[in-house]
Amino acid sequence: MPTTANTASTASTGADPGTGAGPATGQARSALLHLRHLLDLLDQGAPAEQFAPPAAPAHSPHLDEADAAVVAEATRVALRIRRTLGQHRRREAELAALFDTAGDLARLRDPDAVLKAIVHRAKLLLGTDVTYLSLNDDEAGDTYMRVTDGSVSAAFQQVRLGMGEGLGGLVAETARPYSTGDYRDDRRFRHTATIDGAVTEEGLRAILGVPLRLGTRVIGVLYAADRTARAFTPDEVALLSSLADHAAIAIDSARLLDETRSALVDLGEASRTIEAHSDAMRRAEDAHDRLTDLVLRGADITDVATAIGTVLQGGTLIHDADGTELARAGTDSGRPSSRAVASSRAGGRAVSADGTWVCAVLAGPELLGSIALTGRPDLGDADRRLFERAGVVTALLLLQRRSVAETEDRVRGELLGDLLTGAADPASLPARARRVGVDLDHPHAVFVLHSAAPRQRLLAAAARIAHTRKGLAGLHHDDVVLVFPAEHPGPGAASLAGELGQALAVPVTVGAAGPVGGPGSFPDAHAEALRCRTALRALGREGSGAALGDLGFLGVLLGDQTDLGGYVRRTLGPLLDYDAKRGTELVHTLRTYFDEGASPSRAAEALHVHVNTVVQRLERTGRLLGRDWPRPERALELQLALRVLRVQRPDDSGPPAAPSPA
């Protein structure tokens, strides 16, 4: 095996001493070394600066123009992979911190230690210079500094803010998150000499503050701040809000512990109060441990719903933010009251609606879903707080599910785009599809959707159907497209339009095509489904679903493959079968009726029969084709089918034989 020095020497001279290969071999080997170097950098987690592309061929004789372009493109791909891995690691760190905080609360013994841990975790996760937490003083009517991390100013660590003063006082007063990119120049806040002096001494500029809430009451504020001006992202606001919720729970739990200890010194009636509080605390700790353990062990949403129902002795329903049921245990299906969810979200507490308790599941200000508890109309305060804590654990699980789903949806969306555009190698698509549970060896249909509902709601509903039917859903050229196994796309489109319309409460129009027999056929099927959806809307058939073959002669005209025999069979099939079975002349009579200007009397003369015979045959035609056959649009379909049939049988002089189905 050649040494590194020998390899370098060979590359510089353009010859391979072992094989006698020329400069091209050396250049290829140099390109491979560059690519191997990129993989090593990814494996080592190297900084972006080290992913530098190779020098141009004029300065690097080891690479020609083509190899240099390949290596440069590989460098760009490696940088994208590095960024994606970094985003995943950051998200995993955030979720791990939230799980760790939940575990601390479940093992709560020292509230101060928990608050310090939360403030410290906020500093690490948001990467800010300083984090701190203040608590409200109801007697003094202001808020005071409780815990800091990264602060160097004694004045800042002891500052007190009046309600409405500065950023923190405004958060404490309004119970809403606020942020500023540069506090000193931000005129939205009421500046005071005390606050501005403390902030200046600490050197802070960018500040984010979120409320600590217990129900509708704000008990304090959690902050993250930088000494340089910058803007805070919505993800940072949501993360800090989640940590603030944990801090509020820690303070509330500490308060309950103090109440329990105080009650222990009383006698008589107080002892029963102590027992009630102790039992409530034990149940709360046990339930919180149980729910947290479920999340940490990777349980699904159904396991959490079952555990909540078992602890609170009732039925449980969990819905997402759109009201779609995610899990159910011990009760019947039912949508949550939107008014109750809004009330719980606004107040931060569980509310009762018609004997059912509803708790909004929140990640800071963001609504993730809701929990409904049935069969417990008399829910006490302790169980109510326990129910609300279950909402926090459910929020953690939904955040985790969303992170996983976003990654999976991105992979599925890329696969769907490659299928519909035909840009990727068709041979690689089946293996990629199998990795996400899709089997392209089975016939698939393509469905293009349209609705007045918001596109993201339509996409979410389509994604749920794709998951249950082992298909794909995504956006393609601003359209929501759904692909799943189906051998009869027309009936499938009609069923899909009804299902989606019911789920979204607005009409959904579905154009379909297929079935598709291989990856290379998807682009044509998508184009046909798009034409079908456009035709449905042009015909005024909003809220329906069909394939081109279901649109009669219009489908024949719009389709890439003209199936005239199938069109005749779909239009005249009952008459053809009747004539073939009984030797009658219904098809011939109908053709003559149209040829004679829809006049029964002239048709009778042409057929050499009595007019009553023509009338009877037309009545039989109506029973076979439907009473609406004389309507202009149906009559046009029938006349076109009769003319196609005559072209297919030019020697026809009487009742035609029924053609075999196409």
Side-chain angles (χ1 to χ4, degrees):
M1 179 175 181
T3 64
T4 303
N6 290 336
T7 303
S9 174
T10 301
S12 65
T13 60
D16 188 330
T19 62
T25 303
Q27 292 168 354
R29 179 175 301 166
S30 181
L32 290 175
L33 290 175
H34 278 292
L35 296 178
R36 172 56 189 272
H37 179 61
L38 290 176
L39 293 176
D40 290 339
L41 291 176
L42 285 174
D43 181 56
Q44 298 163 8
E49 294 78 6
Q50 295 186 20
F51 287 73
H59 303 287
S60 178
H62 308 301
L63 295 176
D64 58 15
E65 289 288 349
D67 288 340
V70 170
V71 174
E73 176 61 22
T75 301
R76 288 189 289 271
V77 172
L79 285 170
R80 288 200 301 271
I81 295 173
R82 181 185 177 277
R83 285 193 295 272
T84 301
L85 292 175
Q87 292 170 357
H88 284 301
R89 284 193 292 268
R90 185 177 67 254
R91 190 60 180 162
E92 290 172 357
E94 292 173 357
L95 290 175
L98 291 176
F99 292 157
D100 290 343
T101 303
D104 289 343
L105 294 178
R107 299 183 297 273
L108 177 64
R109 293 299 179 266
D110 184 359
D112 287 342
V114 174
L115 294 181
K116 290 179 181 178
I118 290 175
V119 171
H120 182 65
R121 286 184 182 131
K123 183 173 183 293
L124 293 178
L125 289 176
L126 272 69
T128 55
D129 297 325
V130 182
T131 50
Y132 47 102
L133 181 148
S134 66
L135 294 180
N136 291 358
D137 188 338
D138 294 333
E139 294 182 1
D142 61 7
T143 180
Y144 63 97
M145 200 69 70
R146 181 73 162 77
V147 180
T148 65
D149 192 343
S151 172
V152 296
S153 168
F156 181 80
Q157 296 169 13
Q158 300 173 8
V159 71
R160 299 181 74 98
L161 295 78
M163 290 298 176
E165 294 179 354
L167 183 146
L170 187 60
V171 173
E173 184 179 62
T174 62
R176 295 176 57 190
Y178 279 93
S179 66
T180 176
D182 194 339
Y183 177 80
R184 288 177 293 183
D185 297 330
D186 199 330
R187 297 296 98 189
R188 293 179 299 161
F189 309 107
R190 191 195 311 169
H191 291 259
T192 68
T194 302
I195 299 174
D196 287 0
V199 171
T200 301
E201 184 174 325
E202 189 64 47
L204 301 182
R205 298 187 68 182
I207 303 175
L208 165 64
V210 297
L212 278 70
R213 291 180 295 193
L214 287 178
T216 59
R217 185 167 62 94
V218 177
I219 64 171
V221 181
L222 180 61
Y223 307 81
D226 269 330
R227 295 187 174 92
T228 56
R230 76 172 183 95
F232 289 94
T233 66
D235 286 343
E236 290 175 319
V237 176
L239 177 59
L240 193 63
S241 297
S242 297
L243 291 171
D245 291 341
H246 283 79
I249 293 174
I251 295 170
D252 186 38
S253 298
R255 179 183 61 81
L256 292 176
L257 284 171
D258 289 340
E259 290 177 358
T260 302
R261 295 190 185 98
S262 299
L264 288 173
V265 301
D266 296 334
L267 298 175
E269 187 67 25
S271 64
R272 288 190 291 271
T273 303
I274 293 172
E275 292 176 2
H277 277 286
S278 298
D279 181 64
M281 286 301 303
R282 283 193 298 270
R283 290 187 62 218
E285 290 184 359
D286 291 344
H288 205 280
D289 284 345
R290 180 175 182 176
L291 294 175
T292 302
D293 184 62
L294 282 176
V295 175
L296 295 177
R297 287 192 291 105
D300 60 22
I301 197 70
T302 302
D303 295 329
V304 173
T306 302
I308 294 172
T310 301
V311 170
L312 295 174
Q313 299 176 352
T316 309
L317 282 163
I318 300 179
H319 296 82
D320 65 11
D322 294 327
T324 301
E325 182 180 304
L326 300 178
R328 172 165 48 95
T331 187
D332 297 329
S333 295
R335 292 178 64 88
S337 166
S338 57
R339 181 176 298 179
V341 174
S343 176
S344 175
R345 181 184 184 182
R349 298 294 306 273
V351 298
S352 179
D354 300 327
T356 298
W357 285 91
V358 177
C359 181
V361 178
L362 303 172
E366 180 185 0
L367 178 67
L368 300 179
S370 64
I371 309 176
L373 182 68
T374 63
R376 288 293 309 274
D378 57 342
L379 196 67
D381 289 341
D383 283 348
R384 179 178 176 179
R385 286 195 294 271
L386 180 56
F387 184 43
E388 292 163 354
R389 293 180 183 182
V392 176
V393 176
T394 304
L396 294 176
L397 182 58
L398 292 181
L399 284 173
Q400 182 187 40
R401 281 165 50 95
R402 184 170 68 180
S403 177
V404 174
E406 287 174 351
T407 302
E408 183 174 334
D409 288 345
R410 183 168 60 254
V411 174
R412 288 174 172 270
E414 292 173 353
L415 173 61
L416 180 62
D418 289 343
L419 282 172
L420 300 183
T421 60
D425 179 11
S428 67
L429 295 176
R432 290 173 56 189
R434 283 193 294 272
R435 286 196 289 269
V436 293
V438 176
D439 187 358
L440 295 181
D441 292 335
H442 290 85
H444 281 64
V446 179
F447 304 90
V448 179
L449 317 180
H450 178 270
S451 174
R455 187 180 300 166
Q456 289 303 319
R457 286 191 61 205
L458 179 60
L459 178 59
R464 285 192 289 269
I465 292 177
H467 180 74
T468 58
R469 301 187 186 181
K470 296 183 178 180
L472 300 169
L475 286 175
H476 186 67
H477 298 324
D478 295 329
D479 290 316
V480 177
V481 180
L482 182 59
V483 172
F484 58 77
E487 295 187 0
H488 305 289
S495 175
L496 190 61
E499 184 177 352
L500 289 170
Q502 183 177 8
L504 299 176
V506 292
V508 178
T509 307
V510 183
V516 176
S521 304
F522 276 92
D524 292 339
H526 169 255
E528 181 177 324
L530 183 59
R531 291 197 300 272
C532 181
R533 188 206 63 182
T534 303
L536 287 172
R537 298 186 65 200
L539 293 172
R541 292 175 58 179
E542 295 281 355
S544 65
L548 284 180
D550 303 319
L551 301 184
F553 77 93
L554 184 60
V556 173
L557 294 176
L558 293 175
D560 289 336
Q561 298 179 353
T562 303
D563 181 13
L564 295 178
Y567 171 67
V568 171
R569 165 56 55 180
R570 287 191 296 271
T571 307
L572 298 174
L575 296 186
L576 295 170
D577 293 341
Y578 192 89
D579 283 351
K581 184 176 182 180
R582 293 173 173 79
T584 54
E585 300 183 7
L586 295 184
V587 172
H588 185 53
T589 300
L590 184 61
R591 180 189 295 114
T592 305
Y593 171 76
F594 284 128
D595 290 344
E596 297 298 328
S599 171
S601 59
R602 290 200 297 271
E605 293 178 4
L607 293 170
H608 307 292
V609 297
H610 194 275
V611 67
N612 289 341
T613 302
V614 174
V615 172
Q616 291 172 359
R617 291 178 181 177
L618 293 178
E619 289 178 351
R620 172 67 64 183
T621 297
R623 286 193 293 271
L624 292 172
L625 297 181
R627 295 300 179 185
D628 65 340
W629 72 268
R631 293 179 58 186
E633 60 270 21
R634 285 292 307 277
L636 178 60
E637 294 274 358
L638 293 170
Q639 291 180 70
L640 181 60
L642 288 168
R643 289 183 179 274
V644 171
L645 183 63
R646 176 174 290 173
V647 171
Q648 289 178 334
R649 299 177 56 83
D651 59 341
D652 181 28
S653 60
S660 59

